[in-house]
Amino acid sequence: MDEKNKGTLYLVATPIGNLEDITLRAIRILKEVDQIAAEDTRHTLKLLNHLEISKPMISYHRHNEEVRCDNLIKELKIGKNIALVSDAGTPGICDPGEEIIKKCIEEDITIVPIPGACAMINALIASGISTKEFTFIGFLPLNKKTRKEKLEEIKNSKKTIILYEAPHKLKSTLEDLEKILEERKIVLARELTKIHEEYIRGTIKEIISKTENIKGEFVLIIEGSSKKEKNELNDLTLEEHYSFYEKQGLEKKEIIKKIAKDRNVNKNEIYQYFI
Ligand code: SAM
């Protein structure tokens, strides 16, 4: 078939709470497509009713992704335009989408993202924690081994970390983070774009004490580790090395001990240098 006759798959971002957060372009695309593939058709129907759009819908969720993919590809191949939406935010971000996108690429079907709300990006930009480099982890795995590996990754990461968490799992996630984070800054972004939107800032201990019976949807933003590797520290001058620990609030005696350990020298040598 002539490629030009194929349809387009639009990846349409929808609001994450506040219904005003839908773009004019997203509304137009939802009106123009032949069909909408939705994670939960009942959920999307509420949005469509609000926008006064009536459109055939097909469910496309984690448990029928593979079967539905083939149907959708068939429709796209005969020239139908399809919008993919998830329950909230950007499709494909901790939501279904990856499978159909891969298949479309294989079949040379055009994919067009329609930008809009995404919880992680909005939590990050309002957090006050560095946006320069970040790692999006999504939900922490539940499997013990992979969860431990992820926690180790977070512990050592110098980049800002972004986590999603379901309300009923927040407590256990915060408890696991407490074991690895020490004094790093954390922001818990709650109920973004909704009436009870708030940002709870502090160390992990402070966050735990402030979130006893908290409810809602959450994104966790975690400051990157400022811990330096031994070889990085040893490239510093002794004064820089000293000030690195001083900034962490350590006492002179403790600093000298640490420098001596990092550099594998006797602590008296370091002590002599600084007097
Ligand atoms: N696709 C979505 C996006 O673009 O952000 C994410 C979907 S994921 C299944 C749902 C998770 O996103 C929630 O458990 C929560 O961590 C986060 N989330 C979604 N909406 C949120 C909101 N309004 N406030 C805070 N977190 C939210």
Side-chain angles (χ1 to χ4, degrees):
M1 165 170 289
D2 183 352
E3 226 175 75
K4 282 181 197 135
N5 292 332
K6 287 181 186 169
T8 295
L9 178 73
Y10 295 95
L11 311 170
V12 181
T14 56
I16 54 170
N18 189 325
L19 289 181
E20 285 177 357
D21 293 332
I22 181 126
T23 68
L24 296 174
R25 187 168 173 222
I27 297 172
R28 177 176 61 78
I29 296 294
L30 291 174
K31 280 182 181 160
E32 286 176 3
V33 289
D34 299 292
Q35 204 177 48
I36 297 173
E39 186 183 4
D40 180 341
T41 51
R42 283 167 306 174
H43 189 98
T44 299
L45 187 62
K46 287 183 200 150
L47 176 70
L48 295 184
N49 287 342
H50 172 78
L51 298 170
E52 297 179 350
I53 296 173
S54 163
K55 196 60 63 178
M57 272 199 282
I58 175 171
S59 79
Y60 177 86
H61 51 70
R62 217 151 263 137
H63 307 293
N64 67 9
E65 222 172 337
E66 228 165 272
V67 192
R68 281 294 148 85
C69 243
D70 295 340
N71 295 342
L72 291 171
I73 292 288
K74 271 187 205 147
E75 298 285 308
L76 286 157
K77 274 178 153 176
I78 59 165
K80 295 268 166 64
N81 293 317
I82 297 175
L84 176 71
V85 299
S86 64
D87 285 355
T90 301
I93 302 296
C94 287
D95 272 340
E98 268 184 30
E99 283 308 311
I100 180 88
I101 293 160
K102 278 187 203 147
K103 284 254 166 73
C104 282
I105 295 167
E106 277 168 25
E107 300 287 345
D108 251 327
I109 290 165
T110 307
I111 303 162
V112 178
I114 308 295
C118 181
M120 66 144 162
I121 291 295
N122 290 288
L124 174 68
I125 59 171
S127 69
I129 292 180
S130 175
T131 58
K132 284 196 185 69
E133 287 191 274
F134 56 89
T135 304
F136 175 62
I137 290 190
F139 295 97
L140 273 181
L142 294 178
N143 172 283
K144 261 195 179 169
K145 186 168 170 278
T146 41
R147 189 173 175 96
K148 204 168 160 217
E149 284 164 7
K150 275 287 161 218
L151 287 165
E152 198 55 30
E153 185 184 330
I154 296 173
K155 182 178 168 186
N156 297 323
S157 174
K158 300 225 158 72
K159 298 177 186 171
T160 301
I161 296 278
I162 311 176
L163 289 180
Y164 278 170
E165 200 40 283
H168 60 286
K169 295 198 192 116
L170 181 71
K171 192 169 182 282
S172 67
T173 292
L174 291 178
E175 283 166 6
D176 282 348
L177 290 172
E178 192 183 8
K179 294 175 199 145
I180 57 156
L181 286 184
E182 298 169 2
E183 294 303 303
R184 273 153 77 176
K185 276 188 217 150
I186 299 195
V187 178
L188 189 70
R190 180 171 99 92
E191 294 286 89
L192 291 163
T193 78
K194 304 185 201 174
I195 296 168
H196 299 294
E197 172 167 348
E198 68 170 327
Y199 301 87
I200 306 170
R201 299 181 163 87
T203 62
I204 184 73
K205 279 205 170 63
E206 288 162 348
I207 300 276
I208 288 175
S209 72
K210 290 178 194 168
T211 53
E212 191 68 355
N213 289 313
I214 200 153
K215 291 193 174 68
E217 292 197 282
F218 306 96
V219 182
L220 270 158
I221 309 289
I222 304 168
E223 178 185 47
S225 164
S226 58
K227 274 215 176 104
K228 287 197 190 277
E229 302 291 338
K230 246 191 191 176
N231 57 352
E232 286 178 78
L233 287 171
N234 295 350
D235 284 342
L236 303 175
T237 63
L238 273 176
E239 285 77 9
E240 286 166 341
H241 203 154
Y242 189 97
S243 105
F244 170 75
Y245 284 127
E246 199 174 33
K247 279 188 197 139
Q248 292 178 10
L250 298 183
E251 299 287 330
K252 186 173 181 181
K253 211 172 138 192
E254 191 62 20
I255 296 175
I256 287 172
K257 222 163 113 186
K258 276 188 167 286
I259 295 177
K261 192 167 174 228
D262 292 342
R263 297 187 177 233
N264 215 8
V265 295
N266 190 300
K267 67 174 187 261
N268 285 333
E269 276 181 47
I270 307 295
Y271 183 73
Q272 286 302 324
Y273 180 87
F274 281 108
I275 51 170

